[in-house]
Amino acid sequence: MADHGWYDDSDHHEAAQQAERATRFGWSAMAWSTGVLGCALITTAVLCAATVAACVFVVVSSHY
């Protein structure tokens, strides 16, 4: 009767669940930040391409 709590692993189970939640939060934070950085990179590339096209247009139209 004195060994009733010997095999009680509820603390381990709770810690495992907390670790799983932290892992899910970490992965979702990494995915979100990667997505935001990807969108920023695409936006920057489009703005640079538009700037180059505008500069080429100005140079070409100034020669006529």
Side-chain angles (χ1 to χ4, degrees):
M1 297 301 274
D3 293 337
H4 185 264
W6 183 257
Y7 295 108
D8 185 24
D9 63 347
S10 61
D11 291 340
H12 173 71
H13 184 67
E14 183 179 331
Q17 285 181 340
Q18 185 177 3
E20 287 178 19
R21 284 193 300 268
T23 302
R24 279 195 307 266
F25 175 76
W27 277 111
S28 58
M30 285 188 281
W32 181 83
S33 62
T34 301
V36 168
L37 288 174
C39 289
L41 181 63
I42 290 170
T43 302
T44 302
V46 168
L47 288 176
C48 287
T51 303
V52 168
C55 290
V56 167
F57 177 75
V58 167
V59 168
V60 169
S61 65
S62 68
H63 282 65
Y64 289 111

